[in-house]
PDB file of all heavy atoms in Angstrom:
ATOM      1  N   GLN A  36     -11.953  11.767  20.115  1.00 98.00           N
ATOM      2  CA  GLN A  36     -11.902  10.819  19.005  1.00 98.00           C
ATOM      3  C   GLN A  36     -13.134  10.971  18.119  1.00 98.00           C
ATOM      4  O   GLN A  36     -13.022  11.036  16.891  1.00 98.00           O
ATOM      5  CB  GLN A  36     -11.810   9.389  19.541  1.00 98.00           C
ATOM      6  CG  GLN A  36     -11.849   8.320  18.464  1.00 98.00           C
ATOM      7  CD  GLN A  36     -11.670   6.927  19.032  1.00 98.00           C
ATOM      8  OE1 GLN A  36     -10.794   6.685  19.855  1.00 98.00           O
ATOM      9  NE2 GLN A  36     -12.506   6.002  18.584  1.00 98.00           N
ATOM     10  N   LYS A  37     -14.306  11.049  18.733  1.00 98.00           N
ATOM     11  CA  LYS A  37     -15.557  11.171  17.983  1.00 98.00           C
ATOM     12  C   LYS A  37     -15.588  12.468  17.179  1.00 98.00           C
ATOM     13  O   LYS A  37     -15.921  12.473  15.995  1.00 98.00           O
ATOM     14  CB  LYS A  37     -16.746  11.112  18.952  1.00 98.00           C
ATOM     15  CG  LYS A  37     -18.112  11.137  18.310  1.00 98.00           C
ATOM     16  CD  LYS A  37     -19.190  10.937  19.362  1.00 98.00           C
ATOM     17  CE  LYS A  37     -20.558  10.747  18.819  1.00 98.00           C
ATOM     18  NZ  LYS A  37     -21.126  11.868  18.141  1.00 98.00           N
ATOM     19  N   LYS A  38     -15.231  13.568  17.809  1.00 97.00           N
ATOM     20  CA  LYS A  38     -15.225  14.861  17.119  1.00 97.00           C
ATOM     21  C   LYS A  38     -14.240  14.850  15.952  1.00 97.00           C
ATOM     22  O   LYS A  38     -14.532  15.361  14.879  1.00 97.00           O
ATOM     23  CB  LYS A  38     -14.917  15.991  18.088  1.00 97.00           C
ATOM     24  CG  LYS A  38     -16.079  16.289  19.024  1.00 97.00           C
ATOM     25  CD  LYS A  38     -15.874  17.601  19.730  1.00 97.00           C
ATOM     26  CE  LYS A  38     -17.058  17.925  20.608  1.00 97.00           C
ATOM     27  NZ  LYS A  38     -18.282  18.173  19.860  1.00 97.00           N
ATOM     28  N   PHE A  39     -13.062  14.277  16.174  1.00 98.00           N
ATOM     29  CA  PHE A  39     -12.065  14.178  15.115  1.00 98.00           C
ATOM     30  C   PHE A  39     -12.611  13.379  13.936  1.00 98.00           C
ATOM     31  O   PHE A  39     -12.563  13.838  12.785  1.00 98.00           O
ATOM     32  CB  PHE A  39     -10.790  13.539  15.665  1.00 98.00           C
ATOM     33  CG  PHE A  39      -9.745  13.246  14.636  1.00 98.00           C
ATOM     34  CD1 PHE A  39      -9.048  14.277  14.013  1.00 98.00           C
ATOM     35  CD2 PHE A  39      -9.432  11.940  14.290  1.00 98.00           C
ATOM     36  CE1 PHE A  39      -8.072  14.014  13.059  1.00 98.00           C
ATOM     37  CE2 PHE A  39      -8.461  11.661  13.342  1.00 98.00           C
ATOM     38  CZ  PHE A  39      -7.783  12.700  12.721  1.00 98.00           C
ATOM     39  N   LEU A  40     -13.139  12.193  14.211  1.00 98.00           N
ATOM     40  CA  LEU A  40     -13.614  11.326  13.129  1.00 98.00           C
ATOM     41  C   LEU A  40     -14.824  11.900  12.393  1.00 98.00           C
ATOM     42  O   LEU A  40     -15.019  11.621  11.211  1.00 98.00           O
ATOM     43  CB  LEU A  40     -13.929   9.928  13.665  1.00 98.00           C
ATOM     44  CG  LEU A  40     -12.712   9.109  14.101  1.00 98.00           C
ATOM     45  CD1 LEU A  40     -13.155   7.803  14.723  1.00 98.00           C
ATOM     46  CD2 LEU A  40     -11.755   8.870  12.931  1.00 98.00           C
ATOM     47  N   GLU A  41     -15.634  12.698  13.082  1.00 97.00           N
ATOM     48  CA  GLU A  41     -16.808  13.296  12.444  1.00 97.00           C
ATOM     49  C   GLU A  41     -16.469  14.560  11.656  1.00 97.00           C
ATOM     50  O   GLU A  41     -17.296  15.057  10.901  1.00 97.00           O
ATOM     51  CB  GLU A  41     -17.875  13.620  13.493  1.00 97.00           C
ATOM     52  CG  GLU A  41     -18.524  12.380  14.066  1.00 97.00           C
ATOM     53  CD  GLU A  41     -19.489  12.666  15.202  1.00 97.00           C
ATOM     54  OE1 GLU A  41     -19.531  13.812  15.707  1.00 97.00           O
ATOM     55  OE2 GLU A  41     -20.206  11.721  15.588  1.00 97.00           O
ATOM     56  N   SER A  42     -15.270  15.075  11.825  1.00 97.00           N
ATOM     57  CA  SER A  42     -14.869  16.291  11.126  1.00 97.00           C
ATOM     58  C   SER A  42     -14.348  15.944   9.722  1.00 97.00           C
ATOM     59  O   SER A  42     -14.193  14.774   9.368  1.00 97.00           O
ATOM     60  CB  SER A  42     -13.777  17.027  11.915  1.00 97.00           C
ATOM     61  OG  SER A  42     -12.534  16.363  11.787  1.00 97.00           O
ATOM     62  N   ILE A  43     -14.023  16.967   8.960  1.00 97.00           N
ATOM     63  CA  ILE A  43     -13.464  16.760   7.620  1.00 97.00           C
ATOM     64  C   ILE A  43     -11.959  16.478   7.658  1.00 97.00           C
ATOM     65  O   ILE A  43     -11.381  16.081   6.654  1.00 97.00           O
ATOM     66  CB  ILE A  43     -13.737  17.977   6.707  1.00 97.00           C
ATOM     67  CG1 ILE A  43     -12.999  19.228   7.216  1.00 97.00           C
ATOM     68  CG2 ILE A  43     -15.223  18.222   6.556  1.00 97.00           C
ATOM     69  CD1 ILE A  43     -12.994  20.375   6.238  1.00 97.00           C
ATOM     70  N   ILE A  44     -11.364  16.652   8.797  1.00 98.00           N
ATOM     71  CA  ILE A  44      -9.907  16.568   8.916  1.00 98.00           C
ATOM     72  C   ILE A  44      -9.344  15.204   8.507  1.00 98.00           C
ATOM     73  O   ILE A  44      -8.415  15.151   7.682  1.00 98.00           O
ATOM     74  CB  ILE A  44      -9.458  16.956  10.342  1.00 98.00           C
ATOM     75  CG1 ILE A  44      -9.864  18.397  10.634  1.00 98.00           C
ATOM     76  CG2 ILE A  44      -7.958  16.755  10.522  1.00 98.00           C
ATOM     77  CD1 ILE A  44      -9.815  18.779  12.092  1.00 98.00           C
ATOM     78  N   PRO A  45      -9.857  14.092   9.039  1.00 98.00           N
ATOM     79  CA  PRO A  45      -9.241  12.804   8.681  1.00 98.00           C
ATOM     80  C   PRO A  45      -9.240  12.548   7.172  1.00 98.00           C
ATOM     81  O   PRO A  45      -8.224  12.174   6.606  1.00 98.00           O
ATOM     82  CB  PRO A  45     -10.094  11.769   9.418  1.00 98.00           C
ATOM     83  CG  PRO A  45     -10.772  12.508  10.493  1.00 98.00           C
ATOM     84  CD  PRO A  45     -10.939  13.907  10.012  1.00 98.00           C
ATOM     85  N   HIS A  46     -10.376  12.776   6.548  1.00 97.00           N
ATOM     86  CA  HIS A  46     -10.477  12.503   5.111  1.00 97.00           C
ATOM     87  C   HIS A  46      -9.528  13.388   4.309  1.00 97.00           C
ATOM     88  O   HIS A  46      -8.887  12.924   3.357  1.00 97.00           O
ATOM     89  CB  HIS A  46     -11.918  12.680   4.634  1.00 97.00           C
ATOM     90  CG  HIS A  46     -12.078  12.440   3.173  1.00 97.00           C
ATOM     91  ND1 HIS A  46     -11.930  11.190   2.606  1.00 97.00           N
ATOM     92  CD2 HIS A  46     -12.337  13.288   2.145  1.00 97.00           C
ATOM     93  CE1 HIS A  46     -12.091  11.280   1.299  1.00 97.00           C
ATOM     94  NE2 HIS A  46     -12.340  12.545   0.994  1.00 97.00           N
ATOM     95  N   GLN A  47      -9.423  14.650   4.699  1.00 98.00           N
ATOM     96  CA  GLN A  47      -8.550  15.561   3.970  1.00 98.00           C
ATOM     97  C   GLN A  47      -7.085  15.151   4.082  1.00 98.00           C
ATOM     98  O   GLN A  47      -6.320  15.273   3.125  1.00 98.00           O
ATOM     99  CB  GLN A  47      -8.757  17.001   4.448  1.00 98.00           C
ATOM    100  CG  GLN A  47     -10.128  17.558   4.137  1.00 98.00           C
ATOM    101  CD  GLN A  47     -10.440  17.519   2.650  1.00 98.00           C
ATOM    102  OE1 GLN A  47      -9.657  17.966   1.826  1.00 98.00           O
ATOM    103  NE2 GLN A  47     -11.599  16.973   2.309  1.00 98.00           N
ATOM    104  N   ILE A  48      -6.693  14.646   5.237  1.00 98.00           N
ATOM    105  CA  ILE A  48      -5.326  14.135   5.397  1.00 98.00           C
ATOM    106  C   ILE A  48      -5.162  12.857   4.583  1.00 98.00           C
ATOM    107  O   ILE A  48      -4.166  12.677   3.872  1.00 98.00           O
ATOM    108  CB  ILE A  48      -4.988  13.903   6.885  1.00 98.00           C
ATOM    109  CG1 ILE A  48      -4.947  15.237   7.632  1.00 98.00           C
ATOM    110  CG2 ILE A  48      -3.671  13.138   7.032  1.00 98.00           C
ATOM    111  CD1 ILE A  48      -4.833  15.123   9.135  1.00 98.00           C
ATOM    112  N   GLU A  49      -6.141  11.974   4.665  1.00 97.00           N
ATOM    113  CA  GLU A  49      -6.070  10.693   3.967  1.00 97.00           C
ATOM    114  C   GLU A  49      -5.961  10.849   2.452  1.00 97.00           C
ATOM    115  O   GLU A  49      -5.319  10.023   1.795  1.00 97.00           O
ATOM    116  CB  GLU A  49      -7.294   9.842   4.317  1.00 97.00           C
ATOM    117  CG  GLU A  49      -7.305   9.384   5.744  1.00 97.00           C
ATOM    118  CD  GLU A  49      -8.673   8.989   6.278  1.00 97.00           C
ATOM    119  OE1 GLU A  49      -9.670   9.005   5.510  1.00 97.00           O
ATOM    120  OE2 GLU A  49      -8.755   8.666   7.477  1.00 97.00           O
ATOM    121  N   ILE A  50      -6.560  11.891   1.896  1.00 96.00           N
ATOM    122  CA  ILE A  50      -6.466  12.098   0.438  1.00 96.00           C
ATOM    123  C   ILE A  50      -5.270  12.970   0.058  1.00 96.00           C
ATOM    124  O   ILE A  50      -5.033  13.242  -1.113  1.00 96.00           O
ATOM    125  CB  ILE A  50      -7.770  12.679  -0.155  1.00 96.00           C
ATOM    126  CG1 ILE A  50      -8.068  14.077   0.385  1.00 96.00           C
ATOM    127  CG2 ILE A  50      -8.934  11.716   0.051  1.00 96.00           C
ATOM    128  CD1 ILE A  50      -9.210  14.796  -0.336  1.00 96.00           C
ATOM    129  N   GLY A  51      -4.517  13.422   1.056  1.00 96.00           N
ATOM    130  CA  GLY A  51      -3.310  14.183   0.798  1.00 96.00           C
ATOM    131  C   GLY A  51      -3.539  15.635   0.441  1.00 96.00           C
ATOM    132  O   GLY A  51      -2.734  16.237  -0.278  1.00 96.00           O
TER     133      GLY A  51
END
Side-chain angles (χ1 to χ4, degrees):
Q36 176 176 314
K37 184 175 188 294
K38 287 194 177 294
F39 174 70
L40 291 175
E41 290 174 349
S42 75
I43 65 169
I44 299 165
H46 179 68
Q47 294 302 310
I48 294 171
E49 292 159 3
I50 64 170

